Amino acid sequence: AQSVTQLGSHVSVSEGALVLLRCNYSSSVPPYLFWYVQYPNQGLQLLLKYTTGATLVKGINGFEAEFKKSETSFHLTKPSAHMSDAAEYFCAVSGPGPAGGTSYGKLTFGQGTILTVHP
Amino acid sequence: NAGVMQNPRHLVRRRGQEARLRCSPMKGHSHVYWYRQLPEEGLKFMVYLQKENIIDESGMPKERFSAEFPKEGPSILRIQQVVRGDSAAYFCASSMDRMNTEAFFGQGTRLTVV
């Protein structure tokens, strides 16, 4: 079974400070991992994803995340926060497909982390 | 290329009425996924459909909820005899095929049951 734990439902940083949003997962199949961002009353936008290959993945808006299999983690970082980064962030892991393997659209999401950026 | 289109964006229903939520996938996408986001919670998978087929409905409540994705037209999520606990945001996502690694999400339908 798949599960995702996001540590910290609320994270607050100052503009220009490092952003670190934590995500740990468990998966019964080789995981594909995703970070999505949701602005108020909007849908989800994909920030970045890990499928195979390089474990440090770069996404949009200066975000990146590192897949660490030994720690079952996929933490999201950004070196310098901007006011426009204020939003809710969801970590997700892909689930098993109906015929085995991995289903990339059937995702298990974490509870979300609301990021607040102070001037 | 238009994204995933969901309508209506907001829907208000009285208890006992039916709610019909529509999702038009991105052009060329034949896989559709429905998710529900309850207040203060993350998204929960409900159902996965391909054209004319339900592939995985392991997240669907056993009663009152149904989904379809006909050969022509949008995917429909139907909730019969709505109750206050059905109030949530319902998101649809589509992908090109099962091997595609990204599912694109619509902006959601926010259902309020009064």
Side-chain angles (χ1 to χ4, degrees), chain B residues 56-77:
Chain B
D56 183 342
E57 55 181 348
S58 58
M60 285 280 271
K62 294 289 185 279
E63 298 178 347
R64 302 187 296 107
F65 285 72
S66 63
E68 62 179 9
F69 189 16
K71 186 176 180 180
E72 302 291 338
S75 175
I76 305 289
L77 179 67

Side-chain angles (χ1 to χ4, degrees), chain B residues 4-94:
Chain B
V4 178
M5 303 300 293
Q6 290 188 248
N7 68 82
R9 291 289 309 278
H10 300 274
L11 181 62
V12 179
R13 284 287 177 266
R14 296 185 183 279
R15 282 178 294 172
Q17 290 184 319
E18 178 179 282
R20 290 167 62 92
L21 288 62
R22 297 174 182 76
C23 169
S24 296
M26 288 182 68
K27 185 177 181 180
H29 287 193
S30 59
H31 296 236
V32 165
Y33 308 82
W34 284 94
Y35 289 81
R36 177 166 64 175
Q37 184 178 29
L38 293 168
E40 309 298 324
E41 295 187 15
L43 281 75
K44 304 291 187 188
F45 168 80
M46 299 181 75
V47 62
Y48 163 32
L49 310 101
Q50 293 180 31
K51 285 284 187 179
E52 300 184 278
N53 288 302
I54 296 175
I55 305 302
D56 183 342
E57 55 181 348
S58 58
M60 285 280 271
K62 294 289 185 279
E63 298 178 347
R64 302 187 296 107
F65 285 72
S66 63
E68 62 179 9
F69 189 16
K71 186 176 180 180
E72 302 291 338
S75 175
I76 305 289
L77 179 67
R78 182 182 292 109
I79 311 171
Q80 296 178 304
Q81 300 176 319
V82 296
V83 300
R84 287 224 171 106
D86 297 331
S87 295
Y90 293 82
F91 290 95
C92 166
S94 74

Side-chain angles (χ1 to χ4, degrees), chain A residues 32 34 36 38 41-44 46 49 51 88 90 96-98 100-107 109-111, chain B residues 9-10 33 35 37 40-45 48 55-56 58 91 98-103 105-108 110:
Chain A
Y32 284 18
F34 306 81
Y36 285 88
Q38 184 180 31
N41 297 317
Q42 298 293 315
L44 276 71
L46 181 67
K49 63 180 183 286
T51 55
E88 189 163 18
F90 292 95
T102 303
S103 171
Y104 311 130
K106 181 181 179 181
L107 303 175
F109 284 86
Q111 296 284 76
Chain B
R9 291 289 309 278
H10 300 274
Y33 308 82
Y35 289 81
Q37 184 178 29
E40 309 298 324
E41 295 187 15
L43 281 75
K44 304 291 187 188
F45 168 80
Y48 163 32
I55 305 302
D56 183 342
S58 58
F91 290 95
R98 194 176 78 85
M99 299 306 294
N100 189 286
T101 56
E102 180 177 356
F105 281 80
Q107 293 192 311
R110 280 152 183 85

Side-chain angles (χ1 to χ4, degrees), chain A residues 59-82:
Chain A
I60 62 172
N61 301 338
F63 284 94
E64 63 182 36
E66 186 171 10
F67 169 57
K68 292 187 176 181
K69 185 177 180 180
S70 61
E71 299 177 7
T72 61
S73 69
F74 191 58
H75 302 329
L76 181 71
T77 60
K78 182 174 180 178
S80 177
H82 191 273

Side-chain angles (χ1 to χ4, degrees), chain A residues 11-25:
Chain A
V11 170
S12 180
V13 301
S14 298
E15 191 174 19
L18 171 72
V19 176
L20 171 61
L21 304 183
R22 299 178 186 274
C23 172
N24 289 88
Y25 71 92

